Structure formats: structure tokens, C-alpha cells
Amino acid sequence: MAGRIETICSELSEARVFADVGCDHGYMAKYMLERGLCERAYISDVSAKSLKKAELLLKDEIARGRCFPVVADGMKGLPERCDLLLIAGLGGEEIVRILEEGYLPQKFLFQPMKNPEKLRAYLSAKGAKIERDDTFGTGYFYDLIKGESRGGRRYTEREILWGRDNLASPQEPFYRKLKAEKQKILSYLERDLSETSRDELKKRRDALEEVLYETENRLRDRG
Ligand SMILES: C[S@@+](CC[C@H](N)C(=O)[O-])C[C@H]1O[C@@H](n2cnc3c(N)ncnc32)[C@H](O)[C@@H]1O
């Protein structure tokens, strides 16, 4: 878990107003404030119980008027616009819903726990400029998507499915994630499944094997 939070923090950039939606523990806002990376930070969570952890961690910054806790769904309770938004640990579909009901700020950093393709499709349609979009981790694998709201090009279907940087310059975590997913699909296929589920799984397996093959070759060529 520590590795995930460190990787996310290492991609946080300077901002005037930073917001961490779904902050839970509040480590990322602490990172921003301690390093003087933002003027003020909003820590927001739909659960008052989760937010309590962040409030405790950041009590001195809250007392100084640099950090503001908000209990709300998504960006709804934020009293001003942020210029850097972090949403980590929520599903891709949920992140899209939050953005649709709120807005896409100038800079963003997202770490979707699942369905990253939904988020990529949304960002691509919005014309967002993606700076980083790849998989990281050891054992558990996560997607990280960082960028700015404007100036990007449309993603291809494959980029949406797999992540732009995973295709352009694959790294070990992506390769390991593909292998783990393939194993999972193969073991599902041994079960008693409906014809529809079996066909869907086979389609996913075939697409996955194609990317796995490419990734293997690219990694081998690079040495
Ligand atoms: C898995 S934790 C992730 C915490 C932290 N962002 C991280 O990456 O380590 C998800 C947090 O998001 C909060 N959450 C879920 N849906 C939310 C929503 N729609 N708006 C705000 N917070 C939400 C949950 O209450 C929980 O505290």
C-alpha cells in the first residue's frame, strides 16, 4: 500500500488550490501542504468517518486555515474550483460520474481501481492532454492517469483499453498484470459457464494474448 501512495504523491505537481476527492486518510494533502506545493487543500470524502482520519492527520493545517475538510459526494461540496484534482482508489466509472457532475480541472491525477477504460474514453472525448497513463505496482497493479484538461489528441480504441504508455513503452508491471489476468481468465474458463459468459471471456483472452505477445516482444527487444 505504501508503494501505491508514494507513486501517487511523486506525480503530484504544484497548484494553487488542490483537492483530494475520496481522501480517506489524507496522506496526499499532507504531502502537498508539507512541501508547499499548494496554497490550500480541500480534503473531501463522502464518508464522515473516513474524513475523520484525514482531519486528525491534518489538524494543524486545518487550524492554520490551509486545509479544509468537506463531507460530500464527489466535488459537490467544494466551495471553490481547484486547479489540481486527485481522485485515487475509486472505480473509473465513479470517477467519470464525479467529473460529469463537477468539472475537469486544469490538472488532474487519477488512480482508478477498476474500469480505467471508462475514464480514458471520457478524458479522450474531452480533449484532455495525457502526460502519463500506465500501470504500476508489484503484486497488486494500478493504473495512473495524469494530465491537463486541454490540448490532447484522441485516443485510439486500443489505447483506451490498455493505456497509452503501456502500449507505447511497456514496463514490467503492465506485463505482469497481463499475465495475471490471463491466468485468471483461463481458470474461469475451466468453470461451468453460460455460453455468453464463455464467449465474452474468450474474446477478452484473445485480445489479451495479442497485447501480451506484443508486450513480451517489446520488452525482449529493449533487453
Ligand atoms: C479506497 S479509499 C481511497 C482513499 C485514498 N484516496 C487513496 O487512494 O488511498 C476510497 C475513499 O473514497 C471515498 N468515496 C467513495 N465514493 C466517493 C464519492 N462519490 N465522493 C467522495 N468520496 C468517495 C470512500 O469513502 C473512501 O474513503
Side-chain angles (χ1 to χ4, degrees), residues 30 33-34 39-41 57-69:
K30 188 173 160 70
L33 289 161
E34 268 182 0
E39 276 177 27
R40 54 190 173 278
L57 183 77
L58 287 153
K59 62 179 186 319
D60 294 343
E61 298 290 3
I62 293 170
R64 274 188 216 118
R66 295 182 71 213
C67 182
F68 303 89

Side-chain angles (χ1 to χ4, degrees), residues 91-101 118-119 122:
E93 226 162 339
E94 180 69 349
I95 298 176
V96 170
R97 182 188 67 79
I98 289 172
L99 298 174
E100 275 173 343
E101 290 176 8
K118 307 257 182 204
L119 182 55
Y122 174 83

